[in-house]
Structures are given as structure tokens and as C-alpha cells.
């Protein structure tokens, strides 16, 4: 959740650290801090967003060439200056991402340290300091301390006594080391490295690195040297900038025609009525044998999996499909049938529950495939094969373009599976055509309806409750619509299957609520229209979002003109994304960094 950045080289560290923290701010934003070394330590910490820290830094500028920084999402201890990282113990300064589970026990063993924060992280700083005598190197003290730690960590540690190195280590929380020309930059996320270097070492669990201006030395926790694999990171500055939009969220919604095209490129071959994913690491025979698919994710990724599960069922005869919330599944005594493949869906590739669930599934000998956006992320590295959705960096906390690309990627997987099991071009053609046409269809909808969606959203922005309803493939879309709205507008919103309306939610319909009814031109339309009539009869305030040309009796109707039929839910979801965005804007909220949330949930 928290963001970590570190720098050692020939340039001024403060600016690079603050700039890096700004790029990582979406990971946590309740307080931030940096420490730099240059004859002594300059520790600057501030409650609130990185912009507050930036002001403080401008009053205490130093030419220091080495430092570490942190932006926090509070777990232990309220957001405050005292609880902000870096934490100090003796000569040691530490930034930490993760949770030290046995911090209370460890704290009792450290009576000499005067604790000034409520954090588990300060305990780790003090523990390292307790091993750091005059004969011990910083890396050795860190190694000894980590042997005693239970929990998860990504850490960067500095010492005023050895002010040419940063020691970093990871277990469960990501860390990347950017290797530049006579400089080394550390970050918990590749976006902080963009513009500095394209060469990076992804630290693995159980590894420690000593980073200096011109070198990186890697060892395991037993101090055995390891060889470092330098990989290329692909991202450009434009991908992590707003590019004229008011918010990243709006940019990410509006760029979906392009990002979805990147998901489809080379994978949907319309001329041959064929689809293929390159990285599955499975032969056609292995695909043929798949009888069951389990899809695992959290939040929006889970809903993307849920929508894709309908397409898998529709496309692959005889296939059984389950969709699981990772935080639940990981603790269950679950059993998976023979010939199962698991699709592990995650934008960040770092979500702690999803990662833990992946490991549980692997331990049962089940083949795992990732559906991941962040290249080089932990889940992407641990799965047996899979697909990068190539939606580009998603900065806004609420996930939008990743959802669209995840559903598309899993639909391509469904087509490939159907092909392997003998389905002909005729059966699959309609899905392939609709996937290929989807970027243009989304573009058309965004252009034609942006203003109308804004007007409707502004009109309904004062409500405090909302109900989203949809049937069949529109049910997961209703759930995702409710999630998007609650994340960024703070309106209490629930998603429901249309058929469940009479089993409870109908009792809620009154003037405090508005209802979003998702309507698709298909065999279930009449049933959904009956639900709509039932709400109207009880004084509901219904907004219908639909592709149907029928006369629809609702308070507001957003009618979209699209050629999509089977995949129309993906298009309706884009409408909902814009709707949630404009509601949040009308309410004056911090759209990109909603209160209490973080983008990459690397703790349980
Ligand atoms: C957080 C984010 C959501 C995201 C979920 C799963 O809650 O705010 O937008 O859907 O985590 O994240 P993942 O990176 O695994 O897709």
C-alpha cells in the first residue's frame, strides 16, 4: 500500500525523492516523509499529501546525494507526523511497506529504544539498530534483524555511519531497483523509475541488496551472494501524466479505446476468425483437457472475472466456471477438480490476498494463469503463464481501464479454449467481431454521451443511496457500477441481480435512493422492464442505461447506440464509469485519491 523511493547517485536526492513520492502517492496518501544524508541527516515528515511535504522540503533544501522516502497508508497508528516514515533508531533510518506481525513481542525485547510512534515499522528500525554495533555492517544488521521478523516487508534502510549505501530487502511487498548511470534508484513501483532509467532489478522475496551509486550487490538472508537479473521496464512519461485532463480517472476512462486496442493487438485476428494469447505456456492438448476454470481476484478485478465467467460458460461447451474472492478463498479448505486452470486477475499484480490465494492454488498442483496489468509484478512472476492486459499504468485508485482490458483478455482466453476444444469459426465469429470492434464502439459512446452522462450525474449527485440492478451479464456490471460509485462519490451503493429485487432491495426504494437499471436488448429485457415498472410504481428514481430502442419509462434514460450485442455490458460499464466520475466531481471529492483507500493493497 505505502510507496517507497530511494536514491543514491550524483544528483540532488530531495527533488528525486519528492518527485518519486508524488508518482507513488496513489499507493497511500495520509502522510509522507524523506530523509537525506550529507554530513548528517535531514529528516522531513508531514501529515497529509506529498504536496505538504514538498512545502516543508522547500524550506529545508539540502544538496544531499542519498536518501529514502515514503508515502503512507496507515495500518498501525493514525496518520500523523510522528507515525510518518522514515523512522529513526540510533544511526538508522528506515522506510517500510507491509506489516510486522510480531512487532509487539519484538518491542518488548527493545527496552533501550525510546519509541516515538505507534507503528510496527519503528520496531523494525530499533531491532536493526540493536544489532548495529561498531563491528557490524548495515547489511549484516538488517539481515540479523529480518531473521526475527514475522510478517511482510519491503524496506529501505540508511545509516549516517555508512552514508554511501541504501540497504533494501523484501518479503511480500514489492521493491524494484533501477540501475542508472552512476546512480541507483529504488522504488516500490516502476512508475517512480520512469524518466530515470529503463534498467531494473525486481527484488524477490528473501533477497537483500546493498545499493550504491554505481553498484548493486544482492544476497539472500543467509548472506549468500546472488546474481541479479537486470530487466527492461517499458513505460513512458506520458503514461503517468494527466495530459490535460482534470483527473487521472477521467484520462483513464477516456483512453480506453487505445488501451483496449493494446489488449487486443496481435491476439484477436479478425481476418482468420481466430484469437490467441501468446504467453499461456500451454499446448493445444493441455487446453483441450481443461474442464474447470476458477477465476480469482479482489475488488474490480473480481467483478471483471465474474463478467468473463459468463462468456467462458457461453463459449466453451461443458466447462464449469467458479469465480472467487481471493481474501475468502485463501482461507477455505477448497478443493479443485482435476483439469482445473486458475485465472488470477489483478491490475497491480501485488494484491496481498490475490497473491496468497495464487500460492494456495499452486500448492494444490493447479495450473495458474495471470491476467495482469503491471508488468514484472509479483503475481505475474509467480504464475505458470498468462497474459499482460497492456492497459498501461493505472494511476487513479478506482480501476476503470483495467476492468475493460481484463474482461477482454479473459474473453480472448475463452475463445482460445473453445477453439482448442473444436469450436468452429462460425460459433466464435460474433465474439471475435465484437471484440475487434469494441475500441471504436467505446470511442463512439464516449464522444456521443459524455455531456449527457455529466448532466444526469450532476442531477443525481445529492442522493445518499443508490441501487444498481442488472440481470445475467449485466449483474456483474451492476456490482461494478455500485463499487465505482461508492469508491469515489462516498454514496452508499449496492449492486443487485435484477431478479432479487423483490427479495429485499425493493423495500429500500424511497426518495433517498436513486436506482440505476442496466438494460440490454436481449431475451431478458422484458423481465428487467418489469423490475423497472415495479420500482416506478413505488416512487423510484430510476436512471436507465441501455442499448435498447424500446420506449423506456424511467426518470432518466441514457440510451447508447452501439453495434455490440453480446459484449454490450462492457460498453454499458464505461457509461457507469463516467457517471460515477461526474457524481464524484459534482460532490467536490478527491476523485483520484478517495479517502481511506489505496491503489495497491499489499496488506491483508
Ligand atoms: C484496490 C483498488 C481497486 C482494485 C483492487 C484489486 O481495492 O482500489 O481498484 O480493484 O484493489 O486490485 P488489483 O490490483 O489486484 O486489481
Amino acid at each position: 500500500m505505502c510507496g517507497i523511493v530511494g536514491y543514491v547517485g550524483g544528483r540532488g536526492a530531495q527533488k528525486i525523492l519528492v518527485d518519486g513520492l508524488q508518482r507513488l502517492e496513489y499507493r497511500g496518501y495520509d502522510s509522507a516523509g524523506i530523509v537525506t544524508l550529507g554530513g548528517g541527516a535531514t529528516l522531513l515528515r508531514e501529515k497529509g499529501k506529498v504536496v505538504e511535504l514538498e512545502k516543508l522540503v522547500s524550506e529545508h533544501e539540502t544538496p544531499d546525494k542519498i536518501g529514502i522516502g515514503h508515502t503512507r497508508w496507515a495500518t498501525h497508528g493514525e496518520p500523523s507526523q510522528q507515525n510518518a516514515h522514515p523512522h529513526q533508531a540510533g544511526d538508522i533510518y528506515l522506510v517500510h511497506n507491509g506489516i510486522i506481525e510480531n512487532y509487539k513481542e519484538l518491542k518488548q525485547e527493545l527496552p533501550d529504544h525510546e519509541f516515538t510512534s505507534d507503528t510496527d515499522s519503528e520496531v523494525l528500525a530499533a531491532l536493526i539498530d540493536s544489532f548495529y554495533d561498531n563491528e557490524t555492517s548495515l547489511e549484516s544488521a538488517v539481515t540479523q534483524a529480518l531473521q526475527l521478523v514475522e510478517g511482510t516487508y519491503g524496506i529501505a534502510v540508511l545509516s549516517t555511519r555508512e552514508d554511501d549505501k541504501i540497504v533494501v530487502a523484501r518479503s511480500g511487498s514489492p521493491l524494484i531497483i533501477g540501475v542508472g548511470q552512476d546512480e541507483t534508484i529504488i522504488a516500490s513501483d516502476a512508475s517512480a523509475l520512469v524518466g530515470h532509467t529503463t534498467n531494473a532489478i525486481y527484488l524477490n522475496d528473501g533477497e537483500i541488496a546493498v545499493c550504491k551509486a554505481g553498484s548493486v550487490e544482492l544476497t539472500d538472508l543467509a548472506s549468500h551472494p546472488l546474481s541479479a537479473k537486470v530487466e527492461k521496464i517499458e513505460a513512458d512519461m506520458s503514461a503517468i501524466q494527466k495530459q490535460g485532463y482534470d483527473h487521472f480517472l477521467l484520462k483513464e476512462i477516456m483512453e480506453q479505446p487505445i488501451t483496449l486496442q493494446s489488449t487486443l493487438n496481435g491476439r484477436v485476428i479478425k481476418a482468420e476468425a481466430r484469437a490467441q494469447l501468446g504467453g499461456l505456456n500451454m499446448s493445444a492438448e493441455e487446453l483441450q483437457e481443461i474442464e474447470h476454470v476458477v477465476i480469482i481476484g479482489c475488488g474490480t478485478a473480481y467483478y471483471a472475472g465474474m463478467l468473463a465467467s459468463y462468456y467462458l460458460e457461453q463459449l466453451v461447451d461443458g466447462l464449469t466456471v467458479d469465480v472467487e474472492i481471493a481474501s475468502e478463498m485463501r482461507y477455505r479448505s477448497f478443493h479443485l477438480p482435476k483439469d482445473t486452470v486458475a485465472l488470477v486477475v489483478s491490475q497491480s499484480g501485488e494484491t496481498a490476498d490475490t497473491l496468497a490465494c495464487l500460492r494456495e492454488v499452486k500448492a494444490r498442483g493447479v495450473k495458474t494463469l495471470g491476467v495482469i496489468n503491471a508488468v514484472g509484478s509479483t503475481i505475474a512472476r509467480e504464475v505458470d503463464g498468462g497474459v499482460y492486459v497492456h492497459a498501461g499504468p493505472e494511476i487513479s485508485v478506482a480501476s476503470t481501464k483495467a476492468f475493460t482490458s481484463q474482461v477482454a483478455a479473459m474473453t480472448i482466453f475463452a475463445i482460445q479454449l473453445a477453439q482448442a476444444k473444436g469450436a468452429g469459426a462460425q460459433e466464435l465469429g460474433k465474439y471475435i467481431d465484437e471484440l475487434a470492434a469494441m475500441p471504436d464502439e467505446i470511442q463512439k459512446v464516449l464522444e456521443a454521451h459524455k455531456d449527457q452522462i455529466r448532466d444526469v450525474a450532476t442531477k443525481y449527485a445529492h442522493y445518499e443511496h443508490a441501487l444498481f440492478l442488472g440481470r445475467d451479464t449485466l449483474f456483474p456490471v451492476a456490482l461494478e457500477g455500485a463499487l465505482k460509485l461508492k469508491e469515489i462519490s462516498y454514496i452508499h451503493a449496492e449492486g443487485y441481480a435484477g431478479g432479487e429485487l423483490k427479495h429485499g432491495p425493493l423495500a429500500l426504494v424511497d426518495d433517498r435512493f436513486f436506482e440505476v437499471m442496466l438494460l440490454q436488448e436481449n431475451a431478458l429485457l422484458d423481465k428487467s422492464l418489469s423490475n423497472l415498472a415495479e420500482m416506478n410504481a413505488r416512487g423510484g428514481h430510476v436512471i436507465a442505461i441501455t442499448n435498447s430502442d424500446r420506449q423506456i419509462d424511467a426518470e432518466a434514460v441514457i440510451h447508447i447506440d452501439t453495434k455490440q450485442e453480446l459484449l454490450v455490458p462492457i460498453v454499458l460499464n464505461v457509461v457507469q464509469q463516467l457517471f460515477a466520475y461526474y457524481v464524484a466531481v459534482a460532490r467536490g471529492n478527491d476523485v483520484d485519491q478517495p479517502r481511506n483507500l489505496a491503489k495497491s493493497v499489499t496488506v491483508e
Side-chain angles (χ1 to χ4, degrees), residues 285-329:
E285 291 71 38
E286 285 175 305
L287 284 171
Q288 245 166 39
E289 280 166 16
I290 298 175
E291 300 281 340
H292 182 70
V293 172
V294 59
I295 309 179
I296 299 160
C298 296
T300 290
Y302 168 70
Y303 294 139
M306 207 170 156
L307 176 53
S309 74
Y310 286 76
Y311 296 131
L312 272 155
E313 283 179 348
Q314 289 171 13
L315 276 158
V316 189
D317 268 355
L319 187 77
T320 54
V321 189
D322 285 324
V323 193
E324 301 281 358
I325 296 170
S327 57
E328 285 295 313
M329 186 182 186

CSV table of all heavy atoms in Angstrom, one decimal, residues 285-329:
chain,number,residue,atom,x,y,z
A,285,GLU,N,-3.2,-29.3,-26.7
A,285,GLU,CA,-3.7,-30.5,-26.0
A,285,GLU,C,-4.0,-30.2,-24.5
A,285,GLU,O,-5.0,-30.7,-24.0
A,285,GLU,CB,-2.6,-31.7,-26.0
A,285,GLU,CG,-2.4,-32.3,-27.4
A,285,GLU,CD,-1.6,-31.3,-28.3
A,285,GLU,OE1,-0.8,-30.6,-27.9
A,285,GLU,OE2,-2.0,-31.3,-29.5
A,286,GLU,N,-3.1,-29.5,-23.9
A,286,GLU,CA,-3.4,-29.1,-22.5
A,286,GLU,C,-4.6,-28.2,-22.3
A,286,GLU,O,-5.4,-28.4,-21.4
A,286,GLU,CB,-2.1,-28.3,-21.9
A,286,GLU,CG,-1.0,-29.2,-21.6
A,286,GLU,CD,0.3,-28.4,-21.2
A,286,GLU,OE1,0.7,-27.5,-21.9
A,286,GLU,OE2,0.8,-28.7,-20.1
A,287,LEU,N,-4.8,-27.4,-23.3
A,287,LEU,CA,-6.0,-26.5,-23.3
A,287,LEU,C,-7.3,-27.4,-23.4
A,287,LEU,O,-8.3,-27.2,-22.7
A,287,LEU,CB,-6.0,-25.5,-24.4
A,287,LEU,CG,-5.1,-24.3,-24.2
A,287,LEU,CD1,-5.0,-23.4,-25.4
A,287,LEU,CD2,-5.6,-23.4,-23.0
A,288,GLN,N,-7.2,-28.4,-24.3
A,288,GLN,CA,-8.3,-29.3,-24.6
A,288,GLN,C,-8.7,-30.0,-23.3
A,288,GLN,O,-9.9,-30.3,-23.1
A,288,GLN,CB,-7.8,-30.4,-25.5
A,288,GLN,CG,-8.5,-30.3,-26.9
A,288,GLN,CD,-7.8,-31.2,-27.8
A,288,GLN,OE1,-7.3,-32.3,-27.5
A,288,GLN,NE2,-7.7,-30.7,-29.1
A,289,GLU,N,-7.8,-30.3,-22.5
A,289,GLU,CA,-8.1,-31.1,-21.3
A,289,GLU,C,-8.8,-30.2,-20.2
A,289,GLU,O,-9.3,-30.8,-19.2
A,289,GLU,CB,-6.8,-31.7,-20.7
A,289,GLU,CG,-6.4,-32.9,-21.5
A,289,GLU,CD,-5.0,-33.3,-21.2
A,289,GLU,OE1,-4.4,-32.9,-20.2
A,289,GLU,OE2,-4.4,-34.1,-21.9
A,290,ILE,N,-8.8,-28.9,-20.3
A,290,ILE,CA,-9.3,-28.1,-19.2
A,290,ILE,C,-10.9,-28.4,-19.1
A,290,ILE,O,-11.6,-28.2,-20.1
A,290,ILE,CB,-9.1,-26.6,-19.4
A,290,ILE,CG1,-7.6,-26.3,-19.5
A,290,ILE,CG2,-9.8,-25.7,-18.4
A,290,ILE,CD1,-7.3,-24.9,-19.8
A,291,GLU,N,-11.3,-28.7,-17.9
A,291,GLU,CA,-12.7,-29.0,-17.7
A,291,GLU,C,-13.3,-27.9,-16.8
A,291,GLU,O,-14.5,-27.8,-16.7
A,291,GLU,CB,-12.9,-30.3,-17.0
A,291,GLU,CG,-12.3,-31.5,-17.7
A,291,GLU,CD,-13.3,-32.0,-18.8
A,291,GLU,OE1,-14.5,-31.6,-18.7
A,291,GLU,OE2,-12.8,-32.6,-19.8
A,292,HIS,N,-12.4,-27.3,-16.0
A,292,HIS,CA,-12.9,-26.3,-15.0
A,292,HIS,C,-12.0,-25.1,-14.9
A,292,HIS,O,-10.8,-25.2,-15.0
A,292,HIS,CB,-13.0,-27.0,-13.6
A,292,HIS,CG,-13.5,-26.1,-12.5
A,292,HIS,ND1,-14.8,-25.8,-12.5
A,292,HIS,CD2,-12.9,-25.6,-11.5
A,292,HIS,CE1,-15.0,-25.0,-11.4
A,292,HIS,NE2,-13.9,-24.8,-10.8
A,293,VAL,N,-12.6,-23.9,-14.8
A,293,VAL,CA,-11.8,-22.7,-14.6
A,293,VAL,C,-12.3,-22.0,-13.3
A,293,VAL,O,-13.5,-21.9,-13.1
A,293,VAL,CB,-12.0,-21.7,-15.8
A,293,VAL,CG1,-11.4,-20.4,-15.6
A,293,VAL,CG2,-11.5,-22.4,-17.1
A,294,VAL,N,-11.3,-21.7,-12.5
A,294,VAL,CA,-11.6,-20.8,-11.4
A,294,VAL,C,-10.9,-19.5,-11.6
A,294,VAL,O,-9.8,-19.4,-11.9
A,294,VAL,CB,-11.2,-21.5,-10.0
A,294,VAL,CG1,-9.7,-21.8,-10.0
A,294,VAL,CG2,-11.6,-20.7,-8.8
A,295,ILE,N,-11.7,-18.4,-11.4
A,295,ILE,CA,-11.2,-17.1,-11.6
A,295,ILE,C,-11.1,-16.4,-10.2
A,295,ILE,O,-12.1,-16.4,-9.4
A,295,ILE,CB,-12.1,-16.2,-12.5
A,295,ILE,CG1,-12.4,-17.0,-13.8
A,295,ILE,CG2,-11.5,-14.9,-12.8
A,295,ILE,CD1,-13.3,-16.3,-14.8
A,296,ILE,N,-9.9,-15.8,-9.9
A,296,ILE,CA,-9.7,-15.3,-8.6
A,296,ILE,C,-9.3,-13.8,-8.7
A,296,ILE,O,-8.4,-13.4,-9.5
A,296,ILE,CB,-8.5,-16.1,-7.9
A,296,ILE,CG1,-8.9,-17.6,-7.8
A,296,ILE,CG2,-8.1,-15.5,-6.6
A,296,ILE,CD1,-7.7,-18.5,-7.7
A,297,GLY,N,-9.8,-13.0,-7.8
A,297,GLY,CA,-9.4,-11.6,-7.8
A,297,GLY,C,-10.1,-10.9,-6.6
A,297,GLY,O,-10.8,-11.4,-5.8
A,298,CYS,N,-9.8,-9.6,-6.5
A,298,CYS,CA,-10.4,-8.7,-5.4
A,298,CYS,C,-10.9,-7.5,-6.1
A,298,CYS,O,-10.4,-7.0,-7.2
A,298,CYS,CB,-9.3,-8.2,-4.5
A,298,CYS,SG,-8.5,-9.5,-3.5
A,299,GLY,N,-11.9,-6.9,-5.5
A,299,GLY,CA,-12.5,-5.6,-6.0
A,299,GLY,C,-12.9,-5.7,-7.4
A,299,GLY,O,-13.6,-6.6,-7.9
A,300,THR,N,-12.5,-4.7,-8.2
A,300,THR,CA,-12.9,-4.6,-9.6
A,300,THR,C,-12.4,-5.8,-10.4
A,300,THR,O,-13.1,-6.3,-11.3
A,300,THR,CB,-12.4,-3.3,-10.2
A,300,THR,OG1,-13.1,-2.2,-9.6
A,300,THR,CG2,-12.5,-3.2,-11.7
A,301,ALA,N,-11.2,-6.3,-10.1
A,301,ALA,CA,-10.7,-7.5,-10.8
A,301,ALA,C,-11.6,-8.7,-10.6
A,301,ALA,O,-11.8,-9.5,-11.5
A,301,ALA,CB,-9.3,-7.8,-10.3
A,302,TYR,N,-12.2,-8.8,-9.4
A,302,TYR,CA,-13.2,-9.9,-9.1
A,302,TYR,C,-14.4,-9.7,-10.0
A,302,TYR,O,-14.9,-10.7,-10.6
A,302,TYR,CB,-13.5,-9.9,-7.6
A,302,TYR,CG,-14.7,-10.7,-7.3
A,302,TYR,CD1,-14.6,-12.1,-7.3
A,302,TYR,CD2,-15.9,-10.2,-6.9
A,302,TYR,CE1,-15.7,-12.9,-7.0
A,302,TYR,CE2,-17.0,-11.0,-6.6
A,302,TYR,CZ,-16.9,-12.4,-6.6
A,302,TYR,OH,-17.9,-13.2,-6.3
A,303,TYR,N,-14.9,-8.5,-10.1
A,303,TYR,CA,-16.1,-8.3,-11.0
A,303,TYR,C,-15.8,-8.5,-12.4
A,303,TYR,O,-16.6,-9.0,-13.2
A,303,TYR,CB,-16.7,-6.9,-10.7
A,303,TYR,CG,-17.2,-6.7,-9.3
A,303,TYR,CD1,-17.0,-5.6,-8.6
A,303,TYR,CD2,-17.9,-7.8,-8.7
A,303,TYR,CE1,-17.6,-5.4,-7.3
A,303,TYR,CE2,-18.5,-7.6,-7.5
A,303,TYR,CZ,-18.3,-6.4,-6.8
A,303,TYR,OH,-18.8,-6.3,-5.5
A,304,ALA,N,-14.5,-8.2,-12.8
A,304,ALA,CA,-14.1,-8.5,-14.2
A,304,ALA,C,-14.2,-10.0,-14.4
A,304,ALA,O,-14.7,-10.5,-15.5
A,304,ALA,CB,-12.7,-7.9,-14.5
A,305,GLY,N,-13.7,-10.7,-13.5
A,305,GLY,CA,-13.7,-12.2,-13.5
A,305,GLY,C,-15.1,-12.7,-13.6
A,305,GLY,O,-15.4,-13.6,-14.4
A,306,MET,N,-16.0,-12.1,-12.8
A,306,MET,CA,-17.4,-12.5,-12.8
A,306,MET,C,-18.0,-12.3,-14.2
A,306,MET,O,-18.7,-13.2,-14.7
A,306,MET,CB,-18.1,-11.7,-11.8
A,306,MET,CG,-19.3,-12.4,-11.1
A,306,MET,SD,-19.8,-11.4,-9.7
A,306,MET,CE,-21.5,-11.9,-9.7
A,307,LEU,N,-17.8,-11.2,-14.8
A,307,LEU,CA,-18.4,-11.0,-16.1
A,307,LEU,C,-17.8,-11.9,-17.1
A,307,LEU,O,-18.5,-12.6,-17.9
A,307,LEU,CB,-18.1,-9.5,-16.6
A,307,LEU,CG,-18.6,-9.1,-18.0
A,307,LEU,CD1,-20.1,-9.5,-18.2
A,307,LEU,CD2,-18.4,-7.6,-18.2
A,308,ALA,N,-16.5,-12.1,-17.1
A,308,ALA,CA,-15.8,-13.0,-18.0
A,308,ALA,C,-16.3,-14.5,-17.8
A,308,ALA,O,-16.4,-15.2,-18.8
A,308,ALA,CB,-14.3,-13.0,-17.8
A,309,SER,N,-16.7,-14.8,-16.6
A,309,SER,CA,-17.2,-16.2,-16.4
A,309,SER,C,-18.4,-16.5,-17.2
A,309,SER,O,-18.6,-17.6,-17.7
A,309,SER,CB,-17.5,-16.4,-14.9
A,309,SER,OG,-18.7,-15.8,-14.5
A,310,TYR,N,-19.3,-15.5,-17.5
A,310,TYR,CA,-20.5,-15.7,-18.3
A,310,TYR,C,-20.0,-16.0,-19.7
A,310,TYR,O,-20.6,-16.9,-20.4
A,310,TYR,CB,-21.4,-14.5,-18.3
A,310,TYR,CG,-22.1,-14.3,-17.0
A,310,TYR,CD1,-21.5,-13.8,-15.9
A,310,TYR,CD2,-23.5,-14.5,-17.0
A,310,TYR,CE1,-22.2,-13.5,-14.7
A,310,TYR,CE2,-24.2,-14.3,-15.8
A,310,TYR,CZ,-23.6,-13.8,-14.7
A,310,TYR,OH,-24.3,-13.6,-13.6
A,311,TYR,N,-19.0,-15.3,-20.2
A,311,TYR,CA,-18.5,-15.6,-21.6
A,311,TYR,C,-17.8,-16.9,-21.7
A,311,TYR,O,-18.0,-17.6,-22.7
A,311,TYR,CB,-17.6,-14.4,-22.0
A,311,TYR,CG,-18.3,-13.1,-22.1
A,311,TYR,CD1,-17.8,-12.0,-21.5
A,311,TYR,CD2,-19.5,-13.0,-22.7
A,311,TYR,CE1,-18.4,-10.7,-21.5
A,311,TYR,CE2,-20.2,-11.8,-22.7
A,311,TYR,CZ,-19.7,-10.7,-22.2
A,311,TYR,OH,-20.4,-9.5,-22.2
A,312,LEU,N,-17.1,-17.3,-20.6
A,312,LEU,CA,-16.5,-18.6,-20.7
A,312,LEU,C,-17.6,-19.7,-20.8
A,312,LEU,O,-17.5,-20.7,-21.6
A,312,LEU,CB,-15.6,-18.8,-19.4
A,312,LEU,CG,-14.2,-18.4,-19.5
A,312,LEU,CD1,-13.6,-18.0,-18.1
A,312,LEU,CD2,-13.3,-19.4,-20.2
A,313,GLU,N,-18.6,-19.6,-20.0
A,313,GLU,CA,-19.7,-20.5,-20.0
A,313,GLU,C,-20.4,-20.6,-21.3
A,313,GLU,O,-20.7,-21.6,-21.9
A,313,GLU,CB,-20.7,-20.2,-18.9
A,313,GLU,CG,-20.3,-20.6,-17.5
A,313,GLU,CD,-21.3,-20.3,-16.4
A,313,GLU,OE1,-22.2,-19.5,-16.7
A,313,GLU,OE2,-21.1,-20.7,-15.3
A,314,GLN,N,-20.6,-19.4,-21.9
A,314,GLN,CA,-21.3,-19.3,-23.2
A,314,GLN,C,-20.5,-19.9,-24.3
A,314,GLN,O,-21.0,-20.6,-25.2
A,314,GLN,CB,-21.6,-17.8,-23.6
A,314,GLN,CG,-22.6,-17.1,-22.7
A,314,GLN,CD,-22.7,-15.6,-23.0
A,314,GLN,OE1,-22.1,-15.1,-24.0
A,314,GLN,NE2,-23.4,-14.9,-22.1
A,315,LEU,N,-19.2,-19.7,-24.2
A,315,LEU,CA,-18.3,-20.1,-25.3
A,315,LEU,C,-17.8,-21.5,-25.3
A,315,LEU,O,-17.6,-22.1,-26.3
A,315,LEU,CB,-17.1,-19.2,-25.4
A,315,LEU,CG,-17.3,-17.8,-26.1
A,315,LEU,CD1,-16.3,-16.8,-25.7
A,315,LEU,CD2,-17.2,-18.1,-27.6
A,316,VAL,N,-17.6,-22.1,-24.1
A,316,VAL,CA,-16.9,-23.4,-24.0
A,316,VAL,C,-17.9,-24.4,-23.5
A,316,VAL,O,-18.2,-24.4,-22.3
A,316,VAL,CB,-15.7,-23.3,-23.1
A,316,VAL,CG1,-14.9,-24.6,-23.2
A,316,VAL,CG2,-14.8,-22.1,-23.5
A,317,ASP,N,-18.3,-25.3,-24.4
A,317,ASP,CA,-19.3,-26.3,-24.0
A,317,ASP,C,-18.8,-27.2,-22.9
A,317,ASP,O,-17.7,-27.7,-22.9
A,317,ASP,CB,-19.5,-27.3,-25.2
A,317,ASP,CG,-20.7,-26.8,-26.0
A,317,ASP,OD1,-21.4,-25.8,-25.6
A,317,ASP,OD2,-20.9,-27.3,-27.1
A,318,GLY,N,-19.6,-27.4,-21.9
A,318,GLY,CA,-19.3,-28.4,-20.8
A,318,GLY,C,-18.3,-27.8,-19.7
A,318,GLY,O,-18.1,-28.5,-18.7
A,319,LEU,N,-17.8,-26.6,-20.0
A,319,LEU,CA,-16.9,-26.1,-19.0
A,319,LEU,C,-17.6,-25.6,-17.7
A,319,LEU,O,-18.7,-25.0,-17.8
A,319,LEU,CB,-16.1,-24.9,-19.6
A,319,LEU,CG,-15.0,-24.3,-18.8
A,319,LEU,CD1,-13.7,-25.1,-18.9
A,319,LEU,CD2,-14.7,-22.9,-19.3
A,320,THR,N,-17.1,-25.9,-16.6
A,320,THR,CA,-17.6,-25.3,-15.3
A,320,THR,C,-16.7,-24.2,-14.9
A,320,THR,O,-15.5,-24.3,-15.1
A,320,THR,CB,-17.8,-26.3,-14.2
A,320,THR,OG1,-16.5,-27.0,-14.0
A,320,THR,CG2,-18.8,-27.4,-14.6
A,321,VAL,N,-17.3,-23.1,-14.4
A,321,VAL,CA,-16.5,-21.9,-14.0
A,321,VAL,C,-17.0,-21.5,-12.6
A,321,VAL,O,-18.2,-21.4,-12.3
A,321,VAL,CB,-16.8,-20.8,-15.0
A,321,VAL,CG1,-15.8,-19.7,-14.8
A,321,VAL,CG2,-16.6,-21.3,-16.5
A,322,ASP,N,-16.0,-21.2,-11.8
A,322,ASP,CA,-16.3,-20.5,-10.5
A,322,ASP,C,-15.5,-19.2,-10.4
A,322,ASP,O,-14.4,-19.1,-11.0
A,322,ASP,CB,-15.8,-21.4,-9.3
A,322,ASP,CG,-16.7,-22.6,-9.1
A,322,ASP,OD1,-17.9,-22.4,-9.3
A,322,ASP,OD2,-16.2,-23.7,-8.7
A,323,VAL,N,-16.0,-18.3,-9.7
A,323,VAL,CA,-15.3,-17.0,-9.5
A,323,VAL,C,-15.2,-16.8,-8.0
A,323,VAL,O,-16.2,-17.0,-7.3
A,323,VAL,CB,-16.1,-15.8,-10.1
A,323,VAL,CG1,-15.2,-14.6,-10.2
A,323,VAL,CG2,-16.6,-16.2,-11.5
A,324,GLU,N,-14.0,-16.5,-7.6
A,324,GLU,CA,-13.8,-16.5,-6.1
A,324,GLU,C,-13.1,-15.1,-5.7
A,324,GLU,O,-12.2,-14.6,-6.4
A,324,GLU,CB,-12.8,-17.6,-5.7
A,324,GLU,CG,-13.3,-19.0,-6.1
A,324,GLU,CD,-14.3,-19.5,-5.1
A,324,GLU,OE1,-14.6,-18.8,-4.1
A,324,GLU,OE2,-14.8,-20.6,-5.3
A,325,ILE,N,-13.6,-14.7,-4.5
A,325,ILE,CA,-12.9,-13.5,-3.9
A,325,ILE,C,-11.7,-14.0,-3.2
A,325,ILE,O,-11.7,-15.0,-2.3
A,325,ILE,CB,-13.9,-12.9,-2.8
A,325,ILE,CG1,-15.1,-12.3,-3.5
A,325,ILE,CG2,-13.1,-11.8,-2.0
A,325,ILE,CD1,-16.2,-11.9,-2.5
A,326,ALA,N,-10.5,-13.5,-3.5
A,326,ALA,CA,-9.3,-14.1,-3.1
A,326,ALA,C,-9.1,-14.1,-1.5
A,326,ALA,O,-8.7,-15.1,-1.0
A,326,ALA,CB,-8.1,-13.3,-3.7
A,327,SER,N,-9.6,-13.1,-0.9
A,327,SER,CA,-9.5,-13.0,0.6
A,327,SER,C,-10.3,-14.0,1.3
A,327,SER,O,-10.0,-14.4,2.4
A,327,SER,CB,-9.9,-11.6,1.1
A,327,SER,OG,-11.2,-11.3,0.7
A,328,GLU,N,-11.3,-14.5,0.6
A,328,GLU,CA,-12.1,-15.6,1.2
A,328,GLU,C,-11.5,-17.0,0.8
A,328,GLU,O,-11.3,-17.8,1.7
A,328,GLU,CB,-13.6,-15.5,0.6
A,328,GLU,CG,-14.4,-14.4,1.2
A,328,GLU,CD,-14.6,-14.7,2.7
A,328,GLU,OE1,-15.0,-15.8,3.1
A,328,GLU,OE2,-14.4,-13.7,3.5
A,329,MET,N,-11.3,-17.1,-0.4
A,329,MET,CA,-10.8,-18.5,-0.9
A,329,MET,C,-9.5,-18.9,-0.2
A,329,MET,O,-9.4,-20.1,0.1
A,329,MET,CB,-10.6,-18.4,-2.4
A,329,MET,CG,-10.3,-19.8,-3.0
A,329,MET,SD,-10.0,-19.6,-4.8
A,329,MET,CE,-9.9,-21.3,-5.2
